[in-house]
Amino acid sequence: TWHNELYVKEASKKVKNVIHMKQEDGEWMTTPPFGYHKVQKKGAELVIDPNNASVVKRIFQMYVDGYGILQIARTLTRENILTPSRSLHEYRLKNGIDDKNKYTDCWNDSCIRRILKNETYLGTLILHKGECVKIRGKYQKLPREKWKVFEHHHEAIIDENLFRICQEKLESKKVRSKRKRKIYENIFHGLLYCADCNSLLKPSKTTKDIREGNTHYYCSTYQKQGKTVCSSKSVTDQQLKKAVTIFLKRCRDVYKLS
């Protein structure tokens, strides 16, 4: 066994050395972000995909124009704009690559936010954001000063001014949401799922709910993507407690009879 472990460690070191060498040369090694394709020449080169790049530009412009992230996602879904996962799936099939990865036709908030934060659209390549210290170890994020940054690496899709405005807006929203955030005790958290789409039901409290000591649970898919994907529905904390109480009383009565 010690011989096998030694072999695995040596192989791991060699792979890491190759990866570090490619990173030092500024070579893109993973799937390119939405809006780009990778061309294999001397090194992996990023080239703009005009159709998807126009969607990326539209997302940035919509956000600057005052559209919310969820609103942008719902608009793109409603207009049947290809999502990054669907676009990649079709690109691979077109190029004769068998692709069995899952894809979605619905845009969501995390996808829009990821695009808005991605510095690749400035023409900047950033590598070595994190690493695994041990074999099969946990991935650890590295501080920015340890990243390998290559400016003007490829053609930009978004100009610096538009990108900067979006980052400032995202940062201001983040600070505002942190101020508003309150932690409430929630005994049903993570236990409730939508009967239609099987998504998690998420708790939400209005001012009236806080006053009455109640909580509403809503379908997370409906909250993120709207009625085009799932229907509007909710259940309250009080209704759930009442249902659980009735169930426990029935269990007690059955136990007494037996």
Side-chain angles (χ1 to χ4, degrees), residues 82-115:
L82 291 183
T83 61
S85 61
R86 180 60 184 254
S87 176
L88 180 62
H89 175 75
E90 293 199 358
Y91 176 77
R92 285 174 173 169
L93 293 181
K94 187 180 174 182
N95 287 273
I97 302 168
D98 185 28
D99 184 31
K100 293 179 181 176
N101 292 326
K102 289 183 179 179
Y103 62 84
T104 178
D105 288 319
C106 295
W107 290 80
N108 56 47
D109 59 331
S110 58
C111 178
I112 301 294
R113 194 174 281 107
R114 194 161 50 246
I115 287 172

Side-chain angles (χ1 to χ4, degrees), residues 22-160:
K22 288 187 175 186
Q23 286 178 339
E24 291 292 342
D25 293 337
E27 185 175 331
W28 190 280
M29 291 176 284
T30 57
T31 303
F34 183 68
Y36 287 102
H37 286 316
K38 189 165 66 175
V39 177
Q40 212 67 41
K41 291 183 179 177
K42 194 174 181 182
E45 189 179 317
L46 289 182
V47 293
I48 288 177
D49 172 6
N51 292 331
N52 291 342
S54 65
V55 178
V56 172
K57 287 177 183 176
R58 185 183 172 193
I59 289 169
F60 275 85
Q61 194 57 55
M62 285 176 78
Y63 192 62
V64 168
D65 289 343
Y67 285 82
I69 288 176
L70 279 173
Q71 197 177 1
I72 296 171
R74 288 170 184 171
T75 301
L76 297 178
T77 301
R78 189 169 59 248
E79 294 180 10
N80 295 318
I81 304 295
L82 291 183
T83 61
S85 61
R86 180 60 184 254
S87 176
L88 180 62
H89 175 75
E90 293 199 358
Y91 176 77
R92 285 174 173 169
L93 293 181
K94 187 180 174 182
N95 287 273
I97 302 168
D98 185 28
D99 184 31
K100 293 179 181 176
N101 292 326
K102 289 183 179 179
Y103 62 84
T104 178
D105 288 319
C106 295
W107 290 80
N108 56 47
D109 59 331
S110 58
C111 178
I112 301 294
R113 194 174 281 107
R114 194 161 50 246
I115 287 172
L116 289 171
K117 287 182 175 181
N118 198 337
E119 292 181 55
T120 308
Y121 297 122
L122 288 171
T124 302
L125 173 64
I126 301 177
L127 301 171
H128 199 234
K129 287 184 177 180
E131 61 183 8
C132 291
V133 181
K134 299 177 183 177
I135 299 169
R136 292 188 296 276
K138 193 177 179 182
Y139 179 83
Q140 296 179 343
K141 290 182 178 180
L142 294 173
R144 194 177 178 94
E145 55 268 21
K146 290 190 177 182
W147 295 358
K148 299 185 191 299
V149 181
F150 300 87
E151 293 182 349
H152 311 295
H153 176 268
H154 50 271
E155 190 179 349
I157 292 176
I158 303 299
D159 66 75
E160 289 186 17

Side-chain angles (χ1 to χ4, degrees), residues 184-247:
Y184 301 102
E185 189 179 348
N186 185 359
I187 59 171
F188 296 108
H189 182 66
L191 300 173
L192 307 172
Y193 292 87
C194 175
D196 295 330
C197 67
N198 206 33
S199 296
L200 197 67
L201 296 189
K202 289 194 174 180
S204 179
K205 277 180 180 278
T206 61
T207 309
K208 186 181 176 183
D209 287 332
I210 295 167
R211 193 168 58 246
E212 295 177 354
N214 200 9
T215 304
H216 276 77
Y217 295 85
Y218 297 94
C219 170
S220 55
T221 299
Y222 173 77
Q223 282 185 318
K224 288 183 178 181
Q225 298 172 32
K227 60 185 178 183
T228 54
V229 182
C230 194
S231 58
S232 171
K233 63 183 75 65
S234 71
V235 62
T236 67
D237 200 40
Q238 291 173 356
Q239 288 172 327
L240 288 166
K241 285 177 181 176
K242 188 177 178 182
V244 170
T245 304
I246 292 168
F247 174 75

